[in-house]
Amino acid sequence: MRDFLAIALRSHQSLHLKSRRARSHSRRSPHFLGFLKRWCADLKMNYYVCLHQEGVSSIPKLIEKAFANNYNVVATSINANMLPFEPNESDPTYPATILSGGDWNSKVIFTMSDVDVDSPNAKLRQHAKEVFMRDVAWAEHLQNVGSVMVRLRGPQNENLASIVRAKTKGNWFIQVPITNPELATFEHRKDATAEELAEAESNDPWNWWNNLRMATKHSTKVKVVVELNDSDRPSKETVRRWLGESLEAIIIPSSLFVRNRSNYCVLKKEWQVIIGHFISVRANIIISTNPNDKALSQYADYLKKLINENCDTHVLNSYENMLEIPLQPLCENLDTYTYEVFETDPVKYKLYQDAVQAALLDRVSDAEAKSKLTVVMLLGGGRGPLARAVFNAAELSKRKVRLYIIEKNPNAIRTLSNMVKTLWANKDVHIFSKDMRDFSPPELADIMVSELLGSFGDNELSPECLDGALKLLKTDGISIPYKSTSYINPLMSAVLHQNVCQLLPTVPAFDYGYVSLLKNIYHIDEPQALFEFIHPNRAENIDNTRCKAVSFTVKKDCVLHGIGGYFDTHLYKDICLSINPMTHTAGMFSWFPMFFPTRPRTLREGQTISIKFWRCVDATKVWYEWQVVNSPEDWELHNTCGTGYNMRL
């Protein structure tokens, strides 16, 4: 099911990129949405819980035991209860026929012999490579699309990377300890020096993984399996960084479990929180036990309960980490599916209603309520949700309004016209099929209401649209919203980087800005404000070009894969909408964040990086350019002259 969904999503992703349509979740067919809803309701988003045991004498019996205790998969040594093969050993210890081909692929993860193919000793290195290559050959014979797991022993993995690149079948799961195992030995050593401790702390297993990831050229078949241990609980920042990786699973040793008052195996609260973070980004669970463990079913049941508690299953799950080109409603007419999805947002239109209501109360006193008429100009009516918000605000405030709806989409006009006849026949409402920039109104507006904001605030050209519509507003008139601000921050996301690379054969993928429901990401630093736009803009010479550099501090060794983009907007006074992760409006989903890719580079803890953004405008289009500007050298400048992503005027 996981593979099938991946194929389906990649197919839809391709179509969306080619058509240059849709903000994230806005371009799905109803059949596909129905499929996604059913799929999301399936077993915890299809997480698997794997039983990992070494020293077993029979793989079929291990599978039988695992399935009887509520596990979906097993992980065990490829050499089944034997030390690593001698390179020339002829007896493979078990035949391929003990399982069907399908079971080898779907039910078994092979752990490779724990030998060091990058040993500094030439003889040991050669012997290890011969043993390891025999394991690889046997695994490829048994599995044509399966998976093998190999433990990283340190930062030097050039030979291992070469083998991984050469292997053509299946996936490589790279087992990495979440903290350096050497640190645990210092608790029992009285002779350890401060220098030795500092050296061990600096030998970060994440760097082992990063070296391998770089050496394998960010291969999509290489995924990380993070191994927890009971001797050293990781810091919050360490956990957060792993969330930005291409995580396959986490290994939970049975020693992490304790027994509660009912003699049932549970995890301490601290470990529940840590594991919950991994579950939230779709990491699978591998429980490592010895063959004689009698509490197998308790472990599995407990972890499945934890999955239920931490898996945020909803209909938008399928959009996680997908890359799509943002909407361009100024030059393209939206379809009814797009409008329909936006209209289901439970929060946005209520806040717009609150803003209009507050503005009406401020502009019209109680004494004037029955006599004074407020002219509201709605710029972009869609299928009517903002109009309903205006009418609701008028009723709640007991104020009189005349509503002009300006909508350029002729297809939306048909729906709005029907609403006037059937729902708003007793309302003072007038519809005009016009571009707001070309509209000559019968009278000027007291309040101008619009929802022209994209995931980066101005990327649907709200400044150009509202500046062009300024002639519709009285000199003392107000705009709802009256201010929008974009934000950026550096991100690590191996998954998003891989998705960008998959698009390279067809488009200049590193010169696009995408919208995506960001999931497997690490925020290298908190978002900071970038560009601000004020409405109405009554400046004598209006200039909507912008250029700004923003500096960030790296909190932990990591890889920069791109830049996150967000916005917030002030509708009226202190009534705000935000998708900034620090201030996100609870329950609102109309906008996914943006992602601006960069070529990956490793950053070091404490390093300062500066990201420079340009908002460029010419006669026909608006576009962004972005660049990491760091001494001693600037990085690649992306989207020069808008040759990739641009917004057409």
Side-chain angles (χ1 to χ4, degrees):
M1 175 64 82
R2 289 164 65 92
D3 290 340
F4 169 72
L5 185 72
I7 292 168
L9 294 186
R10 281 198 297 271
S11 171
H12 275 258
Q13 172 180 305
S14 260
L15 290 172
H16 281 259
L17 285 168
K18 289 177 182 177
S19 65
R20 297 177 60 85
R21 303 167 69 193
R23 176 200 297 138
S24 292
H25 49 286
S26 62
R27 296 294 193 202
R28 300 302 179 199
S29 72
H31 304 292
F32 190 63
L33 285 173
F35 161 71
L36 292 176
K37 191 170 184 179
R38 292 191 299 274
W39 184 84
C40 289
D42 201 6
L43 180 63
K44 295 99 178 175
M45 287 291 294
N46 288 324
Y47 289 81
Y48 64 72
V49 179
C50 171
L51 177 61
H52 179 204
Q53 289 185 343
E54 298 289 5
V56 300
S57 58
S58 169
I59 293 177
K61 287 183 179 179
L62 175 61
I63 294 173
E64 183 179 351
K65 177 172 66 173
F67 277 58
N69 286 281
N70 295 326
Y71 296 84
N72 315 87
V73 186
V74 301
T76 192
S77 170
I78 195 168
N79 293 320
N81 201 29
M82 287 189 66
L83 294 174
F85 291 150
E86 285 300 314
N88 299 316
E89 178 65 52
S90 59
D91 182 5
T93 74
Y94 55 90
T97 52
I98 60 172
L99 293 178
S100 69
D103 285 351
W104 282 125
N105 283 323
S106 63
K107 295 181 179 179
V108 183
I109 299 170
F110 285 127
T111 57
M112 308 298 276
S113 296
D114 193 15
V115 294
D116 188 1
V117 296
D118 286 279
S119 170
N121 183 293
K123 288 186 177 180
L124 290 177
R125 184 170 63 248
Q126 181 60 30
H127 179 269
K129 185 174 181 180
E130 290 172 350
V131 171
F132 197 81
M133 291 308 297
R134 177 162 180 168
D135 284 358
V136 169
W138 184 231
E140 289 193 325
H141 176 72
L142 296 176
Q143 299 179 324
N144 64 337
V145 291
S147 304
V148 298
M149 186 159 62
V150 58
R151 182 193 302 273
L152 285 194
R153 304 164 64 93
Q156 302 302 320
N157 293 290
E158 290 81 3
N159 289 333
L160 177 60
S162 178
I163 295 170
V164 170
R165 288 197 305 268
K167 184 177 183 290
T168 57
K169 293 184 179 180
N171 295 309
W172 284 91
F173 297 163
I174 308 301
Q175 184 178 339
V176 187
I178 196 166
T179 55
N180 188 350
E182 186 182 356
L183 289 173
T185 65
F186 285 88
E187 295 182 8
H188 311 289
R189 286 182 55 188
K190 296 181 180 180
D191 61 333
T193 65
E195 290 77 12
E196 288 177 321
L197 178 59
E199 183 180 354
E201 287 177 339
S202 65
N203 190 8
D204 186 347
W206 178 86
N207 282 312
W208 309 354
W209 154 253
N210 189 45
N211 291 343
L212 181 74
R213 177 244 306 282
M214 294 292 186
T216 57
K217 303 184 185 303
H218 308 271
S219 170
T220 56
K221 67 183 180 182
V222 180
K223 302 180 181 181
V224 68
V225 173
V226 177
E227 183 176 13
L228 309 183
N229 65 76
D230 56 0
S231 61
D232 189 13
R233 193 164 60 244
S235 67
K236 181 178 180 180
E237 199 67 23
T238 295
V239 173
R240 287 180 61 242
R241 179 178 56 182
W242 281 113
L243 305 185
E245 296 293 358
S246 51
L247 272 168
E248 173 64 24
I250 56 172
I251 296 179
I252 303 173
S254 59
S255 55
L256 255 59
F257 285 87
V258 296
R259 291 193 177 271
N260 62 12
R261 293 179 181 178
S262 302
N263 201 35
Y264 191 85
C265 292
V266 298
L267 292 167
K268 291 182 178 179
K269 183 65 176 179
E270 296 87 349
W271 283 114
Q272 291 180 41
V273 172
I274 290 169
I275 293 168
H277 286 311
F278 284 107
I279 291 172
S280 72
V281 295
R282 316 301 176 205
N284 297 293
I285 303 296
I286 300 175
I287 299 174
S288 180
T289 77
N290 66 64
N292 300 317
D293 199 312
K294 303 300 182 185
L296 299 182
S297 62
Q298 291 190 22
Y299 304 147
D301 293 344
Y302 183 85
L303 264 301
K304 288 184 176 181
K305 176 177 176 291
L306 210 58
I307 288 172
N308 272 329
E309 293 172 352
N310 291 276
C311 173
D312 55 341
T313 301
H314 53 77
V315 74
L316 300 179
N317 283 139
S318 63
Y319 299 98
E320 292 169 359
N321 303 317
M322 282 189 65
L323 302 174
E324 298 189 69
I325 303 301
L327 287 168
Q328 294 206 34
L330 185 60
C331 65
E332 295 179 352
N333 291 325
L334 305 185
D335 59 43
T336 192
Y337 298 120
T338 304
Y339 287 129
E340 184 176 335
V341 172
F342 292 163
E343 290 164 13
T344 60
D345 192 306
V347 174
K348 178 175 66 176
Y349 298 109
K350 175 61 167 63
L351 289 173
Y352 263 93
Q353 176 181 307
D354 293 344
V356 175
Q357 182 179 346
L360 290 172
L361 290 171
D362 285 348
R363 294 180 70 86
V364 180
S365 67
D366 289 341
E368 299 172 307
K370 292 184 179 179
S371 59
K372 187 173 182 179
L373 178 70
T374 301
V375 177
V376 179
M377 202 82 69
L378 175 55
L379 309 180
R383 302 197 314 176
L386 278 178
R388 287 191 291 272
V390 171
F391 291 140
N392 290 343
E395 288 185 18
L396 291 168
S397 62
K398 296 181 171 57
R399 299 308 190 254
K400 295 175 63 178
V401 300
R402 174 174 296 145
L403 180 62
Y404 291 96
I405 303 176
I406 299 91
E407 173 58 60
K408 73 171 188 62
N409 184 347
N411 300 305
I413 288 291
R414 297 177 66 173
T415 300
L416 289 169
S417 298
N418 181 264
M419 287 181 170
V420 170
K421 294 177 182 178
T422 58
L423 299 177
W424 303 329
N426 62 341
K427 304 290 186 183
D428 190 352
V429 55
H430 310 273
I431 301 174
F432 296 89
S433 182
K434 287 282 187 179
D435 186 312
M436 67 188 75
R437 297 169 295 177
D438 303 326
F439 180 54
S440 297
E443 58 185 318
L444 298 181
D446 298 289
I447 302 174
M448 191 163 64
V449 180
S450 64
E451 196 278 280
L452 305 170
L453 298 165
S455 295
F456 204 39
D458 59 272
N459 65 290
E460 291 185 8
L461 305 184
S462 58
E464 286 72 21
C465 291
L466 293 179
D467 292 345
L470 183 61
K471 62 182 183 294
L472 311 180
L473 194 63
K474 293 178 181 177
T475 55
D476 67 339
I478 64 169
S479 172
I480 297 177
Y482 68 89
K483 181 173 72 171
S484 67
T485 307
S486 56
Y487 296 81
I488 60 170
N489 73 327
L491 299 178
M492 179 176 80
S493 178
V495 176
L496 288 178
H497 172 71
Q498 290 170 351
N499 289 346
V500 171
C501 291
Q502 288 178 359
L503 301 171
L504 278 175
T506 56
V507 295
F510 282 92
D511 290 327
Y512 278 85
Y514 305 93
V515 285
S516 180
L517 178 52
L518 303 179
K519 193 66 174 180
N520 292 81
I521 60 166
Y522 169 55
H523 292 280
I524 297 172
D525 199 359
E526 294 177 357
Q528 295 189 45
L530 187 66
F531 302 145
E532 181 180 274
F533 293 91
I534 303 293
H535 307 293
N537 183 356
R538 301 189 187 277
E540 185 174 346
N541 296 308
I542 293 177
D543 182 5
N544 288 322
T545 63
R546 298 286 190 275
C547 179
K548 186 176 180 179
V550 185
S551 294
F552 300 90
T553 300
V554 179
K555 297 179 180 178
K556 210 163 183 63
D557 290 0
C558 60
V559 174
L560 176 63
H561 288 120
I563 303 157
Y566 324 92
F567 82 97
D568 65 23
T569 185
H570 289 68
L571 299 178
Y572 184 75
K573 291 186 174 179
D574 60 349
I575 301 174
C576 301
L577 300 175
S578 175
I579 65 165
N580 181 340
M582 308 302 296
T583 59
H584 198 291
T585 302
M588 187 178 69
F589 61 79
S590 281
W591 296 274
F592 291 164
M594 287 201 72
F595 178 70
F596 298 92
T598 62
R599 302 286 179 178
R601 294 202 193 184
T602 300
L603 305 177
R604 296 302 176 192
E605 182 177 340
Q607 181 179 348
T608 297
I609 61 167
S610 293
I611 298 172
K612 192 170 185 179
F613 254 82
W614 293 262
R615 188 183 196 267
C616 307
V617 183
D618 67 16
T620 60
K621 65 183 182 297
V622 178
W623 71 95
Y624 304 111
E625 297 178 9
W626 59 97
Q627 184 179 32
V628 178
V629 286
N630 265 25
S631 58
E633 63 176 13
D634 293 343
W635 297 14
E636 175 184 356
L637 176 63
H638 293 269
N639 198 33
T640 307
C641 298
T643 52
Y645 170 51
N646 60 73
M647 297 83 77
R648 287 162 286 168
L649 287 166

